[in-house]
Amino acid sequence: MKLDMKSLFFDEPLSEEVTPCYRSVVLVGPPGVGKGTQGKLLSKIPGIFHISSGDMFRELDEASELGQLFNEYATRGELVPDDITVKTWQKYVRNKIEQKIYNPETDLLILDGIPRNIAQVDLLSPYINVLIVLYMVCDDREVMFKRIQGRAIKEKRQDDKDEYVVRYRWDYYKRFTEPIIDYYPQDAIRIIDADAVPADVLHQILSVIVPIQKKHFSPPLV
Ligand code: AMP
């Protein structure tokens, strides 16, 4: 599908305006490593706002131009072009702020699925202040493929059904996403052992982000 960026975002002069620098934690890990599970658990905690870029796209109206475009890319296991992704993300965040769901003054932003390559790290850098990068590591590729197969049935995700597409996404991760770990300042990286049970993984993540929350935010009013 040929896409006209103007028709998608014509009423939104997003990048020109001054945008606050959202204080963020970036989750990095291969498909099936458990980023979504952890993100959902973290989002229950006051003072934390979690964004999954995959969920952001899946929430789009399927009949819309952007929704159709997303479907085309996602069923092939490919990424939506970087500029469209970042603009969609900016608009999404702004809506959440307007709806008072996310408050950048009080909430730590957890990013899951974005940035996905070095170009996206650069495109996002004016808008996010990356406090920490959580690098979720699980060496057993087959364990992750099994998790993805389970998710395909539970969540009816087209991109999880086809083994070829799953392997393609894995290769993309290895070639383009994992290198962002070397691109960020090394003192910002924290390794999380994602082979562990979900409660243990959550424990490891909290032991990193609680001190970050304490340092950068006042206690949330609950
Ligand atoms: P995920 O749920 O993170 O596996 O994402 C599902 C699909 O959404 C991907 O295969 C892409 O088509 C699209 N997508 C999610 N995040 C991004 C991103 N950061 N950049 C481009 N496309 C993305």
Side-chain angles (χ1 to χ4, degrees):
M1 178 193 275
K2 195 173 172 312
L3 205 82
D4 174 8
M5 286 283 281
K6 270 203 192 125
S7 75
L8 281 175
F9 298 104
F10 65 94
D11 57 337
E12 308 281 345
L14 287 169
S15 43
E16 277 74 36
E17 70 186 37
V18 181
T19 313
C21 221
Y22 311 125
R23 288 166 290 178
S24 310
V25 167
V26 174
L27 285 183
V28 178
V33 79
K35 296 188 299 297
T37 304
Q38 294 300 323
K40 282 196 185 85
L41 291 169
L42 292 168
S43 67
K44 308 269 184 241
I45 302 172
I48 289 182
F49 182 67
H50 164 246
I51 293 184
S52 147
S53 51
D55 289 346
M56 169 189 88
F57 281 122
R58 282 183 287 274
E59 279 170 26
L60 291 168
D61 174 2
E62 278 183 40
S64 68
E65 200 176 355
L66 191 55
Q68 286 178 29
L69 181 92
F70 161 65
N71 252 323
E72 280 180 30
Y73 282 99
T75 44
R76 293 194 297 259
E78 290 174 13
L79 291 194
V80 176
D82 297 331
D83 50 353
I84 296 175
T85 297
V86 171
K87 281 207 158 61
T88 306
W89 177 87
Q90 282 178 265
K91 195 173 164 182
Y92 182 85
V93 176
R94 211 167 59 173
N95 280 339
K96 297 292 177 194
I97 295 172
E98 277 167 16
Q99 293 164 19
K100 305 210 181 312
I101 295 171
Y102 165 47
N103 180 351
E105 292 298 316
T106 56
D107 300 339
L108 176 63
L109 183 63
I110 310 265
L111 293 180
D112 155 10
I114 186 169
R116 206 69 158 231
N117 53 37
I118 286 175
Q120 290 187 10
V121 173
D122 288 339
L123 284 170
L124 285 173
S125 67
Y127 312 110
I128 58 174
N129 173 8
V130 179
L131 303 173
I132 283 290
V133 178
L134 295 174
Y135 180 24
M136 296 180 66
V137 178
C138 171
D139 289 330
D140 194 338
R141 197 167 79 150
E142 296 310 315
V143 166
M144 278 174 283
F145 287 167
K146 285 230 168 64
R147 279 191 201 159
I148 292 174
Q149 278 167 358
R151 191 169 73 179
I153 299 162
K154 256 211 287 202
E155 298 178 19
K156 298 194 177 68
R157 276 182 58 168
Q158 288 302 325
D159 55 344
D160 284 344
K161 268 195 203 148
D162 182 329
E163 195 180 325
Y164 172 81
V165 170
V166 171
R167 287 183 192 273
Y168 179 87
R169 281 158 59 208
W170 174 274
D171 288 343
Y172 183 94
Y173 170 79
K174 282 285 168 195
R175 286 185 63 196
F176 300 106
T177 308
E178 212 168 46
I180 73 178
I181 292 296
D182 294 327
Y183 192 64
Y184 279 116
Q186 290 310 287
D187 59 359
I189 311 293
R190 299 287 182 281
I191 293 177
I192 303 294
D193 170 16
D195 260 333
V197 293
D200 184 350
V201 178
L202 180 64
H203 184 242
Q204 295 175 56
I205 292 177
L206 287 175
S207 70
V208 175
I209 63 173
V210 170
I212 295 286
Q213 237 189 341
K214 279 190 181 154
K215 185 170 168 197
H216 294 272
F217 296 86
S218 338
L221 300 168
V222 282

